[in-house]
Amino acid sequence: MAIRKIQEDPHPALRAKAKPIKTINERIRRQAIDLVDTLESINIGIGLAANQVGLLRRMFVLRLPEDEQTTIFINPEITEREGIQESNEGCLSCPGRDGVVERPQSVTVRAQDIDGNDFILQAEGLRAACICHECDHLDGILFYDRVTTE
Ligand code: NI
């Protein structure tokens, strides 16, 4: 259990494509818990992807203000996207920067939990936008790449 340093743009890990996690072993579980601890240590954060702490693994964690606990997404894949919303986004790795991004209004995401169990989540509104933002991180994409109005 450790709080990791959040890397800031232009750190190269933020522009790298994270690798799929083949086996959820003790090391991966520890890294996932570190992500949870790191996110929970920051009041303003709602999502954190592995790239942001320099780990090129396909996982992120999410906790919206109304959530009782942080959810871990391992090998997430967005399988459905519906509608359009505009949301004002920022990122822990891009301090002082924000902008309006067009995202799907709702998404379906498939992922694994820390025990390797598959789960499917349907999300809309802010949660859908956050899931897209975090999945983008795993592909080396930052929100401002998609900003329509700065
Ligand atoms: Ni971000």
Side-chain angles (χ1 to χ4, degrees):
M1 173 167 158
I3 291 170
R4 302 222 179 196
K5 179 174 160 48
I6 296 179
Q7 303 297 342
E8 294 182 0
D9 190 34
H11 191 282
L14 297 169
R15 290 305 189 177
K17 204 167 154 70
K19 293 195 181 77
I21 295 167
K22 287 187 190 134
T23 312
I24 301 172
N25 54 24
E26 198 46 47
R27 184 190 172 96
I28 293 292
R29 274 193 284 274
R30 219 170 24 236
Q31 291 174 346
I33 302 289
D34 284 356
L35 282 179
V36 172
D37 290 342
T38 304
L39 180 66
E40 291 181 354
S41 75
I42 305 160
N43 286 331
I44 53 163
I46 51 183
L48 187 67
N51 302 47
Q52 292 179 272
V53 299
L55 297 170
L56 297 181
R57 302 275 178 228
R58 297 193 83 78
M59 63 178 162
F60 69 81
V61 297
L62 197 67
R63 181 160 119 160
L64 271 72
E66 67 267 30
D67 292 347
E68 275 172 23
Q69 56 183 34
T70 303
T71 307
I72 297 168
F73 296 76
I74 295 175
N75 295 322
E77 266 183 66
I78 296 173
T79 56
E80 277 174 65
R81 297 170 170 79
E82 233 175 276
I84 295 174
Q85 64 172 323
E86 287 193 325
S87 70
N88 193 58
E89 296 188 18
C91 179
L92 293 169
S93 294
C94 311
R97 204 161 178 173
D98 70 329
V100 175
V101 184
E102 206 175 90
R103 300 286 191 189
Q105 171 59 30
S106 64
V107 296
T108 303
V109 60
R110 192 172 55 204
Q112 288 165 281
D113 66 16
I114 200 170
D115 298 313
N117 301 310
D118 291 318
F119 66 94
I120 289 173
L121 184 83
Q122 284 175 310
E124 51 186 69
L126 178 61
R127 193 180 306 275
C130 289
I131 288 169
C132 294
H133 176 120
E134 300 310 327
C135 284
D136 272 355
H137 272 303
L138 304 181
D139 289 326
I141 299 166
L142 294 174
F143 79 95
Y144 65 75
D145 300 342
R146 300 191 188 276
V147 157
T148 50
T149 321
E150 196 113 18

